[in-house]
Amino acid sequence: MVISNIAMGSVNALVKKALDVGVNHMVVGAYRMAISALILAPFAYILDRKTRPKLTFRLFIDHFFSGLLGASLMQFFFLLGLSYTSATVSCAVASMMPAVTFALALIFRTESVKNLKTKGGMLKVLGTLICISGALFLSFYKGPQISNIHSHREAIHHNNNDGDKTKNWLLGCLYLFIGTTLLSLWMLFQGTLSIKYPCKYSSTCLMSVFAGFQCALLSLYKGIDVNDWVIDDKFVIIVVVYAGVVGQAMSTVATTWGVKKLGAVFASTFSPIGLISATLFDFLILHTPLYLGSVIGSVVAVMGLYVFLWGKKNEKEASTALPPRMDKEASTNCPNV
């Protein structure tokens, strides 16, 4: 999960640069999914051959919705938000995923509401609120540009020409939040799907195939233009290939495996690592200037994450001490047992 989120941070930073060229973001998504499917197909055939269960119509439908939640619709909103903001901001909003996933887990009752009265439960709620506060601060306060000694004139020139998108900062943050919510829903859905279909390579490959077609259909929202599908910029081609192999194929397989081992809520708590990765990659390699609001909001969001993890740790320690007492109560109340 650590490696996966480091990779995703670098992918977001590179894709942001590619989107600034003016590429249709869903065309990037469609190519990304197609590359992911091609890369994973041989792994799925060889490594999952003996353990792969029979594909039923229900499993096809499940993978269709998996692609819709975790890839096509998620990318539609997330990449659109990324085009209006920056890689650092996108990963900062994505760092809210533990809080969003936890809230959704309560709604769908995969997390117990009774646990909220315990110390661990209260810390998890507090961490969730801090995460949301950090993201809201980041959204509503852009702040002054922090001095960047590595900035190139080209980056400053590009920033000045991007005034229209800067005005849409709030809209971009809203799109990013919708994308993050969809990804949280996917992680919860994946927790169930990984039990029914435990082959991570085959599952991710199927998801990528469905998502590729879905992204192609979503690309039509700007109208039908064949030229959108012709990418002749070498940098954009490299980014699309890197995003497909590392950002989609490898990262999704790792995340699917992480959800299966750790659960959706705990696996999502690694997302702020992507924020740190994107910030460093953006600042040190792509020479993109930082803004004060992004830094403060990111720090608050990460603080919220670790309060959430502290609550998770307390909850786990309490649960390890609970079974003996439960067994004792059960034997007292039910003598026949």
Side-chain angles (χ1 to χ4, degrees):
M1 290 304 297
V2 171
I3 294 170
S4 172
N5 280 280
I6 289 173
M8 284 307 300
S10 65
V11 166
N12 284 349
L14 287 170
V15 170
K16 166 62 179 173
K17 286 292 181 183
L19 293 177
D20 287 343
V21 177
V23 184
N24 184 325
H25 70 286
M26 290 317 293
V27 170
V28 172
Y31 280 135
R32 177 177 175 175
M33 292 300 145
I35 292 167
S36 171
L38 287 172
I39 291 294
L40 289 172
F43 289 96
Y45 178 75
I46 297 168
L47 299 178
D48 292 340
R49 184 172 48 184
K50 295 180 180 179
T51 58
R52 185 169 48 234
K54 184 180 178 181
L55 272 173
T56 61
F57 179 73
R58 176 60 188 271
L59 284 172
F60 269 109
I61 295 297
D62 285 345
H63 282 95
F64 175 85
F65 281 106
S66 177
L68 198 64
L69 289 173
S72 56
L73 277 180
M74 184 275 290
Q75 282 195 104
F76 180 83
F77 289 105
F78 199 85
L79 294 181
L80 194 58
L82 180 61
S83 67
Y84 287 144
T85 54
S86 68
T88 302
V89 173
S90 69
C91 286
V93 175
S95 69
M96 285 180 63
M97 194 160 57
V100 175
T101 308
F102 176 60
L104 290 171
L106 287 175
I107 293 170
F108 292 111
R109 297 187 178 181
T110 56
E111 286 273 339
S112 176
V113 181
K114 292 180 181 178
N115 293 337
L116 298 183
K117 296 179 181 179
T118 64
K119 181 183 177 182
M122 287 188 286
L123 284 171
K124 283 165 70 175
V125 172
L126 179 61
T128 299
L129 293 174
I130 294 173
C131 271
I132 293 171
S133 300
L136 288 174
F137 186 87
L138 183 149
S139 301
F140 289 100
Y141 178 70
K142 188 175 182 181
Q145 180 179 316
I146 297 174
S147 178
N148 184 353
I149 59 172
H150 299 293
S151 290
H152 291 164
R153 288 182 180 179
E154 183 182 344
I156 296 171
H157 177 70
H158 171 75
N159 238 11
N160 291 334
N161 289 338
D162 208 30
D164 293 336
K165 287 186 178 179
T166 302
K167 292 176 184 177
N168 290 322
W169 187 270
L170 289 176
L171 186 61
C173 289
L174 175 62
Y175 287 145
L176 289 170
F177 181 74
I178 294 171
T180 300
T181 303
L182 288 167
L183 190 57
S184 294
L185 283 169
W186 174 80
M187 293 191 82
L188 291 170
F189 182 76
Q190 194 63 35
T192 304
L193 183 58
S194 62
I195 296 170
K196 294 191 289 184
Y197 197 80
C199 305
K200 54 184 179 290
Y201 297 104
S202 298
S203 184
T204 308
C205 185
L206 272 173
M207 169 187 166
S208 299
V209 170
F210 281 118
F213 286 109
Q214 291 163 358
C215 287
L217 288 173
L218 287 169
S219 70
L220 300 177
Y221 86 102
K222 281 189 173 181
I224 301 174
D225 189 353
V226 179
N227 292 325
D228 284 346
W229 294 87
V230 180
I231 300 176
D232 51 10
D233 190 304
K234 290 182 179 179
F235 172 73
V236 176
I237 293 171
I238 292 169
V239 169
V240 169
V241 173
Y242 180 75
V245 176
V246 177
Q248 187 61 39
M250 294 173 60
S251 293
T252 307
V253 167
T255 303
T256 300
W257 183 77
V259 169
K260 185 181 178 183
K261 294 289 182 182
L262 301 172
V265 175
F266 196 75
S268 68
T269 57
F270 291 88
S271 55
I273 295 170
L275 168 61
I276 298 167
S277 170
T279 304
L280 293 175
F281 199 89
D282 227 1
F283 182 74
L284 298 175
I285 298 175
L286 298 179
H287 313 302
T288 303
L290 292 175
Y291 293 90
L292 182 63
S294 300
V295 174
I296 296 174
S298 301
V299 169
V300 173
V302 173
M303 284 172 59
L305 164 74
Y306 288 104
V307 172
F308 180 91
L309 286 176
W310 183 19
K312 192 75 177 175
K313 180 176 178 291
N314 274 270
E315 195 177 65
K316 188 176 180 181
E317 288 174 352
S319 66
T320 54
L322 191 60
R325 279 181 283 176
M326 288 178 65
D327 290 342
K328 187 177 179 181
E329 288 175 8
S331 61
T332 304
N333 296 330
C334 306
N336 292 334
V337 177

